[in-house]
Structures are given as structure tokens and as C-alpha cells.
Amino acid sequence: PTAITIITLSIIMGTILTLSSYNWLMAWIGLELNMLAILPIISKPKTTRASEATIKYFLTQAIASAMMLLSSTTNAWQTGSWDILELKNKFSTTIMALSLMMKMGAAPVHFWLPEVLQGTTLQTALLITTWQKLAPVTLMYMISNNIQPALLMSAGLLSMVVGGLGGINQTQLRKTMAYSSINNLGWTIMIMALSPNLAIMNITIYIIMTTPVFLMMKNTSMKTLQNLTTTWTTSTAMTLSIALLMLSTSGLPPFTGFMPKMLALNELITQKLTTLATLAIMTSLISLLFYLRIAYLI
């Protein structure tokens, strides 16, 4: 109980410290505390898969933290300020954006996320896909005015493509949820360049929808698509709820998940970025394919 209390407090404290800091060093300390606290949780199941997932998570987060330090130090060297909002150096903003994308698991630095989720329990997978995204997304929100819009939009579009194509041939539910997370982060990052508030709303709705999915999967011990077909007989209401939540996450009207996507597309078209909006819709259709497949199986 003591260890669990310390770990839980460290995870909460780390995120809150990052969310409330004005200084790059404090934000970095918060992320570091958060990372070190979650490692024992990932490695708790005494299996080789869990150990492998822990090492993968640790290495990627450590590299991202090193990039954060490099970026903030270069910026402080150029501008003389450690303030988060004072990230004016172009090199620093690009490196910082990449490190934050790596922390949250967005393409092109997403490779660790499906592997780590597959090696952990559903409870830990829920923690990584929801709570662990809050700090990096908030930091990106704070510096969104300084990042080049082209970088955010191309990374967002790439995340959508990777999330859509990666999830199609998966039979493992945790990997499917990982690619779903990458796809959703794509929408968040892409719209961050034009309307940061909309990006925050998008990630909030995603977290609200994905939490019950993971909790229900944990309740019924679902791990593969085959498990989905057999749970219908034992817990009908829960399986139906998962199907509806999956369709909502995919952004199918009239579900809640359609709203942030519609607003994002509206924003893109208002800014005369029709080609980007068209590409976003097309990648959204790819991801809709595997959500629909899950719903059909149920």
C-alpha cells in the first residue's frame, strides 16, 4: 500500500507540476517524476512482455526528455529566458514540438505506443493513453503560437494516416486502441496550429470516451477481437456500450465524437485549407473501417 500510494501521488504530482509551471526546468522535472513513477506500474506483471514494454517506454521518454532539455537550453542561451511562453528560437520550437510528440506518441515518433500497450495490463494502458497525454498536450498548447503551422499540420496528418492504416490489420484490442489514440492525436495536433482551444476540447472528449472502453474491457477481460464475439452472451449491455463508444470515437454522426471533428473541418475550410480538410476526411474514413469492423463483430 505504501509503494502504491507513493507511485500514485508521484504520477499525479508530476502532471500537476508540469501543468502549473511557467519554467521549462520545472516542466521537465514534472515530466521526469511522472515517467519514473509509471515505470514500476508497467513492469508490475512479472512477464518478459512487461519488462520489454517498460524498457521501450523508458528509452523513448528519456530521449524525449533529453530533446526537451536541449531545446529549452538552446532557447535560454539565445533569448536569456527559461519562460515557457518565451520559446522564440525556431530550432528550439521544432525540437520541442518533436519531443512533445514523442512523449504523447504521435507520428512520426509513435513506434513505442502500440508495443508498450500490448505488453501491459489494460489498467496501465488506460493510464498511458489518457493521463500521460495531459502534460505534453498542455505544453504544446502553451507554445502552439510559436510552432510553425506546417510542422503541426503535417505531423497531424501523418498521425491520422498511421492511426488509420495501423489499426486495420490488428486482432489485438490493445494495439487497436493504441492506433486509435495515434489517430485522435493527429486531429488534436493538426487543429492545434489553427485553434488551440479546439485541440484541447478534442483531446478531452477523446479521454472521456476512451476511459469507459478500457474499463469495460478490463471488466470482461477482453484482449482480442475474438473475445468481443464471445462476451455478447455474458454481458450484452456492456458489449453494446463498447460498440457505441467505438463508433463515437471514430467520429460517426450522430455520436459525440463527430462534434470535434466537424468543428476542426469547419476551421480548416474557413482558413481556406480545403485540400488538408479533404485529406483529413479520407484518413478518417480509413480509421472508421476498423471501428465499424469491431461493431459488426459485436
Side-chain angles (χ1 to χ4, degrees):
T2 318
I4 290 169
T5 312
I6 292 168
I7 287 167
T8 311
L9 281 174
S10 299
I11 288 174
I12 296 167
M13 280 292 297
T15 304
I16 291 172
L17 187 63
T18 306
L19 298 187
S20 56
S21 58
Y22 283 96
N23 185 299
W24 276 120
L25 279 179
M26 288 309 285
W28 174 77
I29 289 168
L31 285 168
E32 210 69 2
L33 178 68
N34 192 316
M35 176 189 77
L36 291 173
I38 203 170
L39 291 176
I41 295 179
I42 302 173
S43 63
K44 193 172 181 285
K46 296 287 175 275
T47 59
T48 46
R49 293 298 298 266
S51 310
E52 188 187 332
T54 312
I55 291 166
K56 280 178 180 170
Y57 185 83
F58 172 71
L59 288 176
T60 45
Q61 297 294 319
I63 292 165
S65 294
M67 284 166 70
M68 263 188 84
L69 271 185
L70 168 70
S71 165
S72 49
T73 311
T74 312
N75 186 65
W77 179 36
Q78 295 286 330
T79 61
S81 167
W82 282 97
D83 199 18
I84 288 179
L85 300 174
E86 291 296 315
L87 197 71
K88 297 280 191 281
N89 188 332
K90 220 169 192 179
F91 170 77
S92 297
T93 45
T94 309
I95 295 289
M96 185 60 76
L98 280 170
S99 78
L100 292 175
M101 283 175 204
M102 200 170 192
K103 281 229 172 264
M104 60 177 102
V109 276
H110 65 282
F111 299 101
W112 62 272
L113 188 63
E115 297 297 321
V116 170
L117 288 205
Q118 189 54 36
T120 59
T121 60
L122 284 165
Q123 223 166 339
T124 317
L126 169 66
L127 193 63
I128 292 169
T129 47
T130 54
W131 183 260
Q132 294 298 89
K133 298 243 191 300
L134 294 178
V137 167
T138 309
L139 285 175
M140 192 173 263
Y141 172 81
M142 288 167 85
I143 62 165
S144 58
N145 292 337
N146 301 331
I147 308 172
Q148 298 91 315
L151 174 72
L152 285 178
M153 285 177 189
S154 48
L157 200 59
L158 189 62
S159 294
M160 285 185 208
V161 174
V162 166
L165 293 175
I168 285 178
N169 60 352
Q170 294 301 332
T171 52
Q172 298 289 334
L173 280 175
R174 275 170 297 182
K175 276 197 172 177
T176 309
M177 292 305 288
Y179 282 110
S180 155
S181 166
I182 293 166
N183 180 47
N184 204 277
L185 274 174
W187 282 93
T188 306
I189 291 168
M190 186 179 71
I191 207 63
M192 188 81 79
L194 305 173
S195 171
N197 292 341
L198 198 54
I200 294 296
M201 187 190 83
N202 185 45
I203 198 83
T204 308
I205 288 177
Y206 170 73
I207 288 172
I208 291 167
M209 287 187 305
T210 203
T211 307
V213 173
F214 270 111
L215 292 175
M216 285 189 275
M217 277 160 60
K218 181 181 175 289
N219 245 345
T220 50
S221 303
M222 285 185 206
K223 289 198 170 60
T224 60
L225 286 179
Q226 199 151 15
N227 296 152
L228 265 179
T229 53
T230 53
T231 45
W232 178 257
T233 47
T234 51
S235 45
T236 316
M238 201 177 275
T239 322
L240 191 64
S241 305
I242 287 182
L244 293 175
L245 279 163
M246 286 287 191
L247 291 176
S248 182
T249 314
S250 70
L252 191 74
F255 297 105
T256 318
F258 174 61
M259 183 180 63
K261 290 190 177 175
M262 185 185 69
L263 292 171
L265 290 170
N266 181 43
E267 187 69 37
L268 286 171
I269 293 162
T270 312
Q271 301 283 354
K272 305 274 193 296
L273 295 164
T274 326
T275 317
L276 196 64
T278 313
L279 288 169
I281 293 168
M282 286 164 76
T283 52
S284 191
L285 287 174
I286 300 171
S287 61
L288 180 64
L289 187 67
F290 69 80
Y291 287 115
L292 277 175
R293 187 181 60 178
I294 292 170
Y296 273 138
L297 273 175
I298 290 169

